[in-house]
Amino acid sequence: MKNLYVSIDPYQVNRIKSFSSSQSAINFATRVTPGTAFDAYGVGKVVVSGNPEFEEGDLVVGLITWGDYTVAEPGAMLRKCDSMGFPLSYQVGILGFSGLTAYAGLFDICKPKKREKVFVSAASGSVGNLVGQYAKLFGCYVVGSTGCNEKVALLKEKLGFDDAFNYKEETDLKATLKRYFPNGIDIYFDNVGAEMQEAAVANMKTFGRVVVCGVISEYTNAEKRAAPDMLDVVYKRIKIQGFLVADHMSVYQDFLQKTCNYLHGGEIQVLEDISSGMESIPSAFVGLFHGDNIGKKIVQIAEE
């Protein structure tokens, strides 16, 4: 396959560590050793095939490499790509694992009710921005945190969040969340871990739900580790659950149908941050950990 678009995701950093517990948890998180190629979700175009299921010229989506071309072995996680009239890049982001992660984490795990109070961290990221939009469309009250004032304005003015704040300007996150949620948080969608998770747990309502999608602030800083007050967890009967999207494929068709309807109706905004060329992959990847991206980070390797 000629690779066209590849996804740039924070979890990949755990694959290049000498050790991470994530490496033995699931096959797509296994360690990448020097001299081997990164595999990542993306879109490619078949140039040569010995597989009767795929023909030259077919567009495919699934696990490809951070490279110009991918050789797919039998049994590779690939399927023919139906763009459904949308840009091909959507297959890597909103209609791919980022979208499904947001949808499954919110609806399959947290099971929101209308008018519930939802807090989303890393709310301008690939998953967080969609969580907030899905929650708003469902009828929840949504506040997001992000790392700069430009992104705060984006969340409120373009994506329709009820409110948002720049966490870098806050000195007491527990007090900050108390200000935005004076009666408590029903659902916290955690993308960052560490002190933000601690502050959210301290402000949860009784029977609140915390879904842990990622802990990006802990990936590259061994000093940062979330230590929520477990008395709060016990006495408020708070549910805290980590998840991987691979366990929630049962909601895929529902996710796809609803998301396509939202897109056709102009009810959901697509945030993509696309760089061009193979040479941009390292800086695109590193930029994730400095908050450089707005929305889904993608690298376009080649034109279709």
Side-chain angles (χ1 to χ4, degrees):
M1 294 168 294
K2 179 183 179 182
N3 298 334
L4 305 178
Y5 293 93
V6 290
S7 177
I8 309 296
D9 300 292
Y11 79 88
Q12 297 274 24
V13 78
N14 295 315
R15 302 182 67 197
I16 56 175
K17 294 176 180 177
S18 58
F19 171 78
S20 171
S21 59
S22 61
Q23 294 170 358
S24 60
I26 194 166
N27 57 6
F28 70 76
T30 53
R31 184 168 182 244
V32 178
T33 55
T36 57
F38 271 97
D39 52 354
Y41 200 70
V43 176
K45 189 172 187 178
V46 177
V47 290
V48 177
S49 177
N51 184 333
E53 295 180 23
F54 299 94
E55 298 178 355
E56 180 183 347
D58 282 348
L59 291 170
V60 294
V61 62
L63 282 183
I64 63 176
T65 59
W66 282 359
D68 292 308
Y69 292 88
T70 299
V71 177
E73 302 294 340
M77 194 185 88
L78 289 169
R79 60 177 172 80
K80 288 186 180 180
C81 173
D82 177 5
S83 70
M84 298 175 286
F86 298 114
L88 272 182
S89 57
Y90 284 21
Q91 298 295 321
V92 183
I94 189 168
L95 298 178
F97 281 154
S98 294
L100 182 58
T101 297
Y103 188 91
L106 181 64
F107 293 109
D108 213 21
I109 295 177
C110 292
K111 304 188 186 305
K113 303 179 182 68
K114 292 184 186 301
R115 294 180 293 281
E116 283 196 314
K117 304 296 191 290
V118 177
F119 173 49
V120 186
S121 57
S124 63
S126 62
V127 174
N129 90 85
L130 294 172
V131 172
Q133 292 188 79
Y134 284 134
K136 279 300 298 176
L137 287 165
F138 185 75
C140 295
Y141 178 87
V142 181
V143 176
S145 67
T146 189
C148 72
N149 292 331
E150 174 194 1
K151 293 178 180 179
V152 168
L154 175 84
L155 294 177
K156 295 195 288 186
E157 295 166 13
K158 183 174 181 178
L159 304 190
F161 280 55
D162 293 287
D163 220 330
F165 64 90
N166 178 355
Y167 72 87
K168 292 180 181 177
E169 295 184 345
E170 303 293 336
T171 56
D172 184 339
L173 290 173
K174 290 180 182 179
T176 299
L177 290 180
K178 183 68 175 177
R179 189 167 75 245
Y180 284 97
F181 297 97
N183 298 313
I185 301 167
D186 293 294
I187 292 171
Y188 172 43
F189 199 104
D190 187 9
N191 292 300
V192 301
E195 61 267 27
M196 189 67 81
Q197 186 189 104
E198 295 173 12
V201 168
N203 281 277
M204 297 302 291
K205 289 184 181 179
T206 301
F207 296 112
R209 290 89 80 202
V210 177
V211 59
V212 185
C213 174
V215 289
I216 190 171
S217 71
E218 301 183 19
Y219 291 165
T220 56
N221 187 343
E223 302 295 314
K224 287 197 171 191
R225 290 292 181 267
D229 187 332
M230 297 309 292
L231 278 178
D232 281 337
V233 175
V234 172
Y235 283 93
K236 291 184 185 177
R237 287 85 91 198
I238 297 167
K239 174 184 176 181
I240 302 178
Q241 182 175 338
F243 81 107
L244 297 174
V245 70
D247 296 328
H248 297 270
M249 297 307 295
S250 60
V251 302
Y252 177 75
Q253 289 303 323
D254 186 52
F255 147 74
L256 193 62
Q257 180 181 4
K258 282 191 170 66
T259 304
C260 287
N261 288 342
Y262 287 146
L263 288 168
H264 285 304
E267 297 175 273
I268 200 165
Q269 303 297 315
V270 180
L271 291 187
E272 292 181 320
D273 191 330
I274 302 178
S275 302
S276 296
M278 266 287 296
E279 67 281 359
S280 70
I281 287 180
S283 60
F285 182 50
V286 171
L288 292 175
F289 303 96
H290 297 283
D292 293 350
N293 60 301
I294 297 178
K296 177 64 186 177
K297 188 64 197 177
I298 297 168
V299 170
Q300 181 175 9
I301 293 178
E303 299 282 346
E304 184 185 337

